Amino acid sequence: MVKEDKSVWVVFFEGIKIYALNIHKFFLYMAFPVLGQLLGLFMIFGITYWHTKNFQDLAVKFPALNDISTMLICIILSVIPGLLIWAKAFWDYLVSYGALNSMTDGYLNTGRVYDFRAHNSVVTKKTFSFIILWLLFSIFTLVSLIPVFWIIGFIFFIYFILIFQVFTFENGLSPVGYFRRSLQLVKGKFARTFLLMTLLVVFTYYLLTSGLAVIFDALNLTEKLAKVFENWAYSLPVENFEKFGITPMLIGKEAVNQIIFFIVVGFTLPIRSICWTLWYNNLASDCKDYDNCEAKPKKKSVSKKTVAKTFKIEKRGIDPEIIRRARLEDDEY
């Protein structure tokens, strides 16, 4: 039986619904990956700023610090904790690109979001392929930033937008194969995929970011935080850039805007992952033959590379233990 082809709007609102019903779980899961990166950066730049501001006083109290090498060693050692926190949070954030797809799959099968560690293991058990996938995607992104490649880069970005869903649910592919499979799935559905991406970008990158910015302004947090970053910016050599309108005040305001943007984008990553998983499920149900995947239905054929039409976890290679734990209460695992 062929599944009904869902519209982009159905996928979009279904994704928001799943996120809203489980928002406390997703917030808990994304808390360290998002806030941990901010904490790590605050520790790194805060400690560096403190050392710079108090360098002379420290040199008077501790003559050994008059040696620049000793001072640099002290600064490096003091920022290591912040660097470790940032690195761990950053890695967890990357892992969430695959784990959230698994969580969505689990929800579709059980109606619950649960067992974060088990879903993370879906990614970590293929760590090498995952790292290579991110490396290839980073290279592709850097090349796409070159002006001459903007248009073609954007087009291929749409075609490659399902690479993390392919990585999560389809085994036996190489990192290059994830890109190829995503292209095959999106082929013939480019306009609809672009529409879904547009909806997600406008909703999570613009509307929700603007909403949080209004809340920050209402609570007078924007001005207070901007003042903190402005004082930090005075320690930077910005005099040469003031003729371009770049002032410590501007840096302070932009820093706050970027923090708001990062928080919203980070905590709404589950929305985007849910929607793209639903969209992957929708396209995969129409695209069974891995080697000859087209937009139009194909005749059924028996092949070792056949991709499952349904979203059954046992057919996706996800640990059945996840299903068992779904039957337990939250405090039982």
Side-chain angles (χ1 to χ4, degrees):
M1 182 178 179
V2 180
K3 288 187 177 181
E4 180 182 357
D5 187 22
K6 293 182 179 180
S7 72
V8 170
W9 292 98
V10 169
V11 169
F12 177 67
F13 286 112
E14 185 177 350
I16 293 177
K17 177 183 176 182
I18 294 174
Y19 178 79
L21 291 175
N22 302 277
I23 191 170
H24 60 296
K25 297 286 187 68
F26 288 121
F27 261 69
L28 176 64
Y29 178 72
M30 297 303 302
F32 179 72
V34 175
L35 301 181
Q37 290 188 67
L38 291 177
L39 175 61
L41 291 176
F42 287 157
M43 291 177 64
I44 293 172
F45 289 104
I47 291 175
T48 303
Y49 171 72
W50 182 84
H51 276 289
T52 302
K53 187 175 181 180
N54 297 279
F55 174 77
Q56 293 182 345
D57 293 337
L58 291 172
V60 172
K61 293 182 180 180
F62 306 99
L65 295 180
N66 281 319
D67 180 43
I68 188 65
S69 298
T70 304
M71 188 65 178
L72 287 176
I73 292 175
C74 290
I75 294 176
I76 292 173
L77 292 176
S78 63
V79 301
I80 286 179
L83 183 62
L84 292 176
I85 291 175
W86 176 85
K88 179 59 169 64
F90 180 68
W91 170 250
D92 287 353
Y93 189 79
L94 296 183
V95 169
S96 67
Y97 271 79
L100 287 168
N101 303 326
S102 178
M103 291 180 197
T104 303
D105 193 25
Y107 179 86
L108 294 175
N109 281 270
T110 67
R112 297 185 61 216
V113 175
Y114 51 90
D115 203 351
F116 298 152
R117 285 184 297 178
H119 292 293
N120 285 342
S121 69
V122 174
V123 176
T124 56
K125 69 183 180 182
K126 298 190 291 184
T127 298
F128 180 75
S129 293
F130 189 65
I131 292 175
I132 297 300
L133 175 62
W134 267 110
L135 178 61
L136 292 175
F137 183 70
S138 299
I139 294 174
F140 164 75
T141 302
L142 290 175
V143 173
S144 298
L145 292 177
I146 301 175
V148 70
F149 294 120
W150 280 357
I151 296 178
I152 191 172
F154 176 77
I155 292 174
F156 275 101
F157 178 81
I158 303 298
Y159 280 117
F160 295 154
I161 207 162
L162 296 178
I163 55 175
F164 294 106
Q165 283 67 37
V166 174
F167 168 85
T168 304
F169 300 121
E170 301 188 18
N171 298 316
L173 298 179
S174 66
V176 174
Y178 300 135
F179 288 85
R180 178 170 174 245
R181 174 61 173 159
S182 176
L183 187 150
Q184 291 171 331
L185 287 168
V186 175
K187 187 177 181 181
K189 306 287 186 179
F190 182 91
R192 297 172 65 192
T193 303
F194 172 74
L195 175 59
L196 179 58
M197 186 198 71
T198 303
L199 291 173
L200 291 171
V201 168
V202 171
F203 182 66
T204 61
Y205 283 66
Y206 178 72
L207 293 180
L208 294 182
T209 300
S210 299
L212 185 60
V214 171
I215 294 175
F216 266 58
D217 291 340
L219 297 177
N220 201 29
L221 293 176
T222 302
E223 184 177 351
K224 292 180 179 179
L225 289 175
K227 192 65 178 178
V228 172
F229 288 108
E230 181 181 349
N231 293 333
W232 169 76
Y234 276 112
S235 66
L236 302 176
V238 296
E239 295 82 5
N240 296 329
F241 299 96
E242 289 185 352
K243 58 184 178 181
F244 300 107
I246 301 177
T247 63
M249 181 181 296
L250 177 64
I251 293 175
K253 291 181 178 179
E254 285 303 313
V256 176
N257 290 335
Q258 290 303 310
I259 289 175
I260 293 173
F261 179 80
F262 180 76
I263 291 175
V264 173
V265 171
F267 278 105
T268 59
L269 176 60
I271 296 179
R272 298 187 294 278
S273 294
I274 292 169
C275 288
W276 288 124
T277 299
L278 294 173
W279 190 238
Y280 164 86
N281 187 27
N282 189 53
L283 298 185
S285 66
D286 293 334
C287 186
K288 303 187 302 176
D289 189 351
Y290 178 82
D291 290 324
N292 301 290
C293 181
E294 300 289 346
K296 58 183 180 180
K298 290 289 182 180
K299 293 182 179 180
K300 295 183 179 179
S301 60
V302 178
S303 172
K304 293 182 179 180
K305 296 182 179 180
T306 297
V307 178
K309 289 172 57 177
T310 61
F311 232 56
K312 299 298 183 181
I313 284 185
E314 62 270 21
K315 294 184 179 181
R316 299 289 178 177
I318 298 177
D319 192 347
E321 180 69 5
I322 297 178
I323 295 295
R324 185 191 70 80
R325 296 192 183 194
R327 300 187 179 97
L328 303 177
E329 295 297 330
D330 289 347
D331 58 356
E332 291 186 36
Y333 55 80

